[in-house]
Structure formats: C-alpha cells, structure tokens
Amino acid sequence: MELFVLEHKRLWRTPRVWLCVLLCFVYSVIWGSVIWYQWPGFGTKNDSTNMYDNNFDGYSAIRGYQEEFSKFGDYWTDETLQKMVEEYQSYDVMNLPGLQSKGDWSLASDILRDLYPELKDPENQQYQPLILYADTTKLTDFYQRRADLLEHTLETTRQNEGMTEADKQMLLDMNSQIEEPWPYEWTQGWNDLSFGWSKLAPYLAIALAFLFSGEWHNNTAPLLHTTKYGWKKLARVKVLNGLAFALEFYLLIAGGKVLVQLIYLGTSGWDLPIQYISLLAVAPWNMLQAELYQLAFGLIGVFGYAGLVMLMSALVKNNVLALVFSLAFVYVPDVLGRYLPKWLMAVSQYLPLVGNSYDYLNYNIFHIFGMSVWSPWMLITVPFLIGVVCIPFVILKWSRRQKA
C-alpha cells in the first residue's frame, strides 16, 4: 500500500498529468456542459441563425421550455400531436427565429414525416415541412402507425442485411415491453445523452503512455535495480496506479457532466422513453436507464483503454511511440473506416472508447455460440475483457524487460 501511495502521488504531481486533467475538465465540463447549456445549446434565439449568437440565458430558457410544453398533457396521445401541430400552425413562424430549435415542434415534425407521409402535398412538400399544412384531424392511430412502420423496417432490414427471423422476433419482443401511452414532457433536453467518451482518449493516453516507457526515458532502470521490491510487485503497483488514475479521471469528468445536467435539466424527463430520441428504437428503456448505460459504457471504455495504453507503454521504450500506438487504437478506425473491410470495421467498434454509445437505438445483433446477443451488451463487455487481458501481459512484459 505504501508503494502504491507513493506511485500514485508521483503520477498526479507530474505536470503533464495534472495539466491534461485540467484541460479535459475545462473542455468537457466547463465548455462542453456549462457553457453549452447556457449559451449555444439552449440559449434563446435572436435574429441570427448562428447558435453562437444565442443569448446567454440557457437556464431560464430551459425552465421556459419545460413549462411551455407541460400544457400538452402528461402522456403522448393522438390529441397531444394534434394540439401541438395546431398550435404551430397558428404561429407566424417566419417572424419567430428559432421556433423549432429547442421546442418539441421538431419532434412533431419528424413524427409527421415518418408516420403520416400520405398527408404530404406534392405542391408543397419540396418547399415547406408537413407540419405547416397537415390536416390535424387525420393525425390519428399514432401507436399503431409506429408499430406498422417498425414491422416494415425490421422486415426490410432482415431481407437486406441478413437479419434472421429469430432476430427480428427478438427485437419485436423487446419493443412489446414498451409501455403505452408514453409519458410526455419537454423532450429536447434529452435528445443528446452522449458524453463524448472518445474525446477522453488523448488526455488519458498522454497521462498513462509514459507510465512504463518513461522509466527508460528517464534512465531510472539502475535505480530500480536497487529496490527492495520485486519486479512483478512493482509492475502490479504501476498497473493498479494506472487503473486508479483512470477511475479518478473518469469520475471527475463524468461526475462533473452529470452534476451540470442535474442543475440545468433536473430529474424531470428521466421517465421519458428513448423513443423520443429515435422513434423506431426497440429497447424498453427510459432516459435514466439510457444514461446509466452511457455511464457504464464510459467506465468500461476508460478501463479497457487504460489497459491498452499501459500495454503499449510496457512494450516499447520510446515515449513518443507508446503515445502514438495508444492513440492509433482510437483514431485509426475512424480515419480508415471507409477503406477497411466491413468485417474489420465492425470488429474495430469494440475497441475501448471507439464504439457507438448510442447503439441501443439500432438493431445490431451478433450470433455467438448459437445465441443471439444484442450489440449494446457486447459494447460494455468486450472493452472490459480487452482491459483484463492486457493487464497480465503488461506485468509480464515489463518485468522481463527490467530483468534483462
């Protein structure tokens, strides 16, 4: 324990490390959350179409949106949609800048486009959205129309992308667990649950890539040869130190973003179904459950990526190479994605901090040992296993190299 504490203090006192943490906190929490909620994300519109010309009043604007849309009722029904479209049509939208931007008018507009295509006027559809002229008396059977469209979409996916009939039925069974009618309140604040986990990779790599290779760079090997601790014990302590730092780093960033979200959005909206984000999603989750998944995705990703970075640090003696190889795991799949074989691109999505944290809105299913496995469960399992597998190789490789 004493050695771990010493190593941990040593890591945190490194200027490179605390500077990375500070920059990431400013970028992700201060700019990416506080400033975003208060200004470009939810600040009220003025006459400009540039979101960075919004007013700096996001907190009060969000309260206004929540109160404004509470009048449409507590549940989403045909009447909710009808009233919303009627009210929108009563506005002079040309003189109300940003009317659709953060209100649920965009939600209603998307629903009309997807579920009521027969209401499109051929003379208007190229120039005006359907919400401006749709006959509200015909906006009925919302849930049945959604079910029919979902059935058609899954059947098309089955025919074109190799989905089996069992896979299709599995997804329909998931969808059947969604309770109707859906709870309703202002939804736009919950349209983006992503925490941008891949953006943590550069900071984490810079902090941990020198953990083992730095001993060679600093020429501390002779000093380490005099230690009273064994090589494997030193390696284990360094690995635990790296994992502890990764956890603390994750808690600082994730905790900060969640705290800001609670301040601006509160708990209002936790019970909303994720179908407000993607109408044809089949997962029977609400926004709180989806956010917990996002947090688990980030935690597992940070753990797995820390293992990969430490492995690169143990494999090479050069600090720059250790950093470049670590970053390559995250950025090469993105840069070369269109040039990689489809199967290799699919595999690369399960590297830590690489995959799509919104995959629970999709229909991806894998077949493993005869079992059908929903892709989101793979995304929080494989990166963890990668991290676990890396750890013994880190210890073994660094111990052998030091002895040599």
Side-chain angles (χ1 to χ4, degrees):
M1 178 59 70
E2 179 184 359
L3 181 59
F4 171 80
V5 172
L6 291 174
E7 280 286 329
H8 203 54
K9 287 182 178 179
R10 177 187 173 196
L11 178 63
W12 271 103
R13 288 172 179 172
T14 305
R16 178 191 70 255
V17 172
W18 59 256
L19 184 59
C20 278
V21 173
L22 177 62
L23 289 175
C24 187
F25 185 84
V26 170
Y27 175 74
S28 298
V29 180
I30 304 302
W31 170 256
S33 290
V34 177
I35 302 299
W36 175 257
Y37 277 113
Q38 188 66 19
W39 181 25
F42 295 95
T44 55
K45 292 283 186 179
N46 51 32
D47 293 334
S48 173
T49 58
N50 189 334
M51 66 180 179
Y52 291 102
D53 286 333
N54 288 359
N55 299 310
F56 200 77
D57 59 354
Y59 184 85
S60 59
I62 287 173
R63 297 298 175 272
Y65 295 134
Q66 291 172 335
E67 182 178 356
E68 172 70 15
F69 286 88
S70 65
K71 65 187 176 186
F72 293 112
D74 296 328
Y75 292 92
W76 185 268
T77 63
D78 292 343
E79 290 73 21
T80 305
L81 179 59
Q82 292 166 4
K83 291 178 180 178
M84 197 173 288
V85 174
E86 286 176 357
E87 179 163 322
Y88 187 85
Q89 292 177 351
S90 70
Y91 292 140
D92 180 6
V93 296
M94 299 303 295
N95 294 320
L96 290 175
L99 180 63
Q100 294 190 63
S101 61
K102 293 305 173 185
D104 280 347
W105 316 116
S106 56
L107 171 65
S109 183
D110 291 344
I111 288 174
L112 264 60
R113 179 198 63 207
D114 295 337
L115 300 187
Y116 302 90
E118 76 279 3
L119 299 183
K120 288 183 179 179
D121 182 346
E123 296 182 0
N124 291 328
Q125 62 178 334
Q126 293 182 356
Y127 307 102
Q128 294 180 322
L130 181 54
I131 191 174
L132 284 174
Y133 59 85
D135 184 351
T136 58
T137 62
K138 296 181 180 180
L139 302 180
T140 58
D141 300 323
F142 168 80
Y143 291 105
Q144 185 58 52
R145 283 174 175 264
R146 176 188 174 273
D148 293 342
L149 180 58
L150 176 61
E151 175 77 28
H152 173 74
T153 302
L154 291 178
E155 180 60 25
T156 302
T157 304
R158 186 187 70 81
Q159 294 176 2
N160 297 337
E161 300 184 16
M163 179 187 293
T164 67
E165 187 64 35
D167 294 340
K168 174 185 171 183
Q169 189 57 50
M170 172 183 170
L171 295 171
L172 289 174
D173 290 342
M174 292 174 61
N175 180 73
S176 67
Q177 300 175 41
I178 302 173
E179 296 183 2
E180 298 176 0
W182 302 343
Y184 173 73
E185 50 193 288
W186 177 63
T187 69
Q188 292 299 305
W190 296 98
N191 269 6
D192 184 9
L193 296 176
S194 174
F195 285 76
W197 298 117
S198 63
K199 296 175 183 177
L200 301 186
Y203 304 100
L204 198 57
I206 293 173
L208 295 181
F210 307 153
L211 195 61
F212 292 95
S213 63
E215 301 292 359
W216 295 97
H217 178 78
N218 296 329
N219 198 28
T220 58
L223 178 62
L224 291 175
H225 278 292
T226 65
T227 181
K228 64 179 180 180
Y229 302 103
W231 292 115
K232 284 191 175 181
K233 184 173 183 179
L234 281 172
R236 293 191 192 101
V237 168
K238 282 183 169 293
V239 167
L240 289 176
N241 180 34
L243 294 177
F245 170 81
L247 176 61
E248 293 161 353
F249 180 65
Y250 164 83
L251 291 175
L252 179 66
I253 303 303
K257 293 179 78 69
V258 169
L259 178 60
V260 173
Q261 184 190 74
L262 284 172
I263 291 173
Y264 278 88
L265 299 180
T267 60
S268 177
W270 276 1
D271 61 336
L272 295 177
I274 60 171
Q275 283 66 35
Y276 287 121
I277 301 176
S278 178
L279 183 63
L280 298 184
V282 298
W285 292 359
N286 57 33
M287 298 296 183
L288 176 59
Q289 291 169 316
E291 179 148 317
L292 291 175
Y293 176 86
Q294 289 273 355
L295 292 170
F297 178 92
L299 177 60
I300 296 301
V302 165
F303 173 83
Y305 189 65
L308 279 175
V309 173
M310 288 188 289
L311 179 60
M312 294 302 101
S313 182
L315 287 175
V316 298
K317 297 181 179 181
N318 187 286
N319 284 340
V320 175
L321 284 179
L323 179 59
V324 169
F325 290 154
S326 298
L327 293 175
F329 283 107
V330 174
Y331 293 108
V332 168
D334 184 47
V335 173
L336 301 181
R338 68 179 65 184
Y339 307 108
L340 297 176
K342 188 175 181 179
W343 68 268
L344 185 56
M345 186 59 192
V347 170
S348 69
Q349 296 304 298
Y350 294 90
L351 290 172
L353 299 181
V354 173
N356 180 9
S357 61
Y358 269 121
D359 204 45
Y360 52 81
L361 301 176
N362 300 324
Y363 309 134
N364 299 321
I365 293 177
F366 288 86
H367 301 99
I368 303 175
F369 302 118
M371 298 185 299
S372 296
V373 181
W374 191 38
S375 178
W377 300 134
M378 297 278 290
L379 284 169
I380 59 173
T381 302
V382 176
F384 175 78
L385 295 177
I386 290 174
V388 170
V389 169
C390 285
I391 290 174
F393 286 100
V394 173
I395 296 172
L396 182 63
K397 184 64 179 177
W398 193 71
S399 298
R400 286 182 175 178
R401 176 162 285 179
Q402 290 294 331
K403 290 178 181 179

